[in-house]
Amino acid sequence: MHFHDCFVQGCDASVLIAGPSTERTAPPNLNLRGFEVIDDAKTQLEAACPGVVSCADILALAARDAVVLTNGPSWQVPTGRKDGRVSLASETTALPGFSESIEAQTKKFTDKGLNTQDLVTLTGGHTIGTTACQFFRYRLYNFTTAENGVDPSIDPAFIPQLRTLCPENGDGTKRIGLDNGSPNRFDTSYFTNLRNGRGILESDQMLWTNASTKAFVQRFLGVRGLQALNFNVEFGRSMVKMSNIGLKGKDGEIRKVCSCN
């Protein structure tokens, strides 16, 4: 949720605002979960220290705590963000898409002051969480560039399992883990999955099939001959970097209710 917030209007909690044609009504955000958790935290903070902690800061802190609770690293979260008032569904095109090329994804990251390593690192956040069948089922049945309709970058031995989880005419909203190995644990198995052709989203698997990003995946996996990267350390660094995108100054505020502008 913090990621989806920062890429649109900056890290200003605009993704939390409810109402017609807001960010949270747009297709990229329809499967976000946890709004009630943020609302509950805000209610308790307003009771203890009214008008002090922004919804944007709650999002940044909750992202860190969610990682810690899934056995991941902790990091110091800079605070002092202000909340924004603008939330437009039309602006969610700034978010990387599940079938976009690495080149397109890289440009969207570059536009936000993030580099290729940040792209691989932050996408590695898919080591926890879920996605819906509707976002990857086409890779199993009607992948347009393959004669048999199956994305050739998927491990053939993995296809039956995915088809069982997501039948061709089944419920598109059914959710499965983005990390087939350990969806509730923050670790590097997500990158192992990419190496083995078991990335769930097409945009995930592209991190392995594209040379510019594959090297970073390999470094997180400790491939011999390459300078190793510590995923826990780099994830914290990239999250702090991302959490500073487009911060609001005098034009921001501290909302009393996160879902209202």
Side-chain angles (χ1 to χ4, degrees):
M1 191 183 287
H2 183 38
F3 178 93
H4 283 239
D5 178 45
C6 290
F7 267 68
V8 185
Q9 286 284 336
C11 305
D12 66 347
S14 55
V15 75
L16 301 177
I17 297 174
S21 301
T22 55
E23 290 173 36
R24 63 193 279 181
T25 69
N29 293 329
L30 290 178
N31 282 275
L32 289 180
R33 297 290 182 270
F35 291 100
E36 72 286 351
V37 176
I38 306 301
D39 289 340
D40 182 54
K42 180 62 173 175
T43 298
Q44 295 187 51
L45 283 164
E46 284 299 309
C49 47
V52 175
V53 184
S54 67
C55 299
D57 273 353
I58 294 173
L59 270 183
L61 292 161
R64 188 270 315 276
D65 292 350
V67 170
V68 171
L69 288 169
T70 50
N71 298 295
S74 183
W75 60 88
Q76 290 294 318
V77 178
T79 54
R81 294 170 190 78
K82 294 293 180 67
D83 299 324
R85 299 181 179 183
V86 177
S87 182
L88 300 171
S90 59
E91 294 187 348
T92 59
T93 53
L95 286 163
F98 58 85
S99 62
E100 281 189 326
S101 68
I102 292 297
E103 290 73 23
Q105 294 181 61
T106 301
K107 178 162 191 320
K108 288 185 175 182
F109 271 71
T110 302
D111 288 346
K112 302 299 180 185
L114 303 173
N115 58 31
T116 303
Q117 180 176 321
D118 295 316
L119 165 60
V120 178
T121 304
L122 293 172
T123 307
H126 287 172
T127 180
I128 54 177
T130 62
T131 188
C133 290
Q134 61 189 321
F135 295 122
F136 70 91
R137 189 165 51 190
Y138 68 94
R139 301 181 68 205
L140 310 176
Y141 303 100
N142 51 10
F143 195 70
T144 55
T145 60
E147 288 185 13
N148 63 354
V150 178
D151 185 342
S153 67
I154 304 176
D155 172 15
F158 193 37
I159 297 294
Q161 182 180 340
L162 290 177
R163 284 180 167 175
T164 298
L165 290 168
C166 294
E168 186 170 11
N169 297 311
D171 180 5
T173 64
K174 181 184 176 183
R175 304 185 72 83
I176 75 163
L178 281 161
D179 179 348
N180 185 253
S182 52
N184 298 313
R185 185 179 181 87
F186 193 96
D187 54 25
T188 58
S189 68
Y190 166 81
F191 296 114
T192 301
N193 290 342
L194 301 187
R195 180 177 62 191
N196 296 336
R198 296 191 169 217
I200 301 300
L201 300 178
E202 185 179 4
S203 55
D204 287 338
Q205 194 57 49
M206 285 177 184
L207 296 180
W208 181 258
T209 57
N210 185 285
S212 67
T213 49
K214 180 178 181 177
F216 290 107
V217 177
Q218 290 175 313
R219 291 173 69 184
F220 283 131
L221 290 173
V223 171
R224 186 176 298 177
L226 295 175
Q227 183 180 0
L229 286 172
N230 185 307
F231 180 48
N232 283 359
V233 172
E234 298 304 327
F235 190 79
R237 287 176 179 169
S238 288
M239 284 293 282
V240 170
K241 195 173 173 182
M242 183 192 77
S243 75
N244 286 316
I245 294 174
L247 300 185
K248 300 291 187 288
K250 293 180 180 179
D251 56 338
E253 62 182 355
I254 294 180
R255 297 202 296 271
K256 291 183 179 180
V257 179
C258 291
S259 60
C260 299
N261 61 0

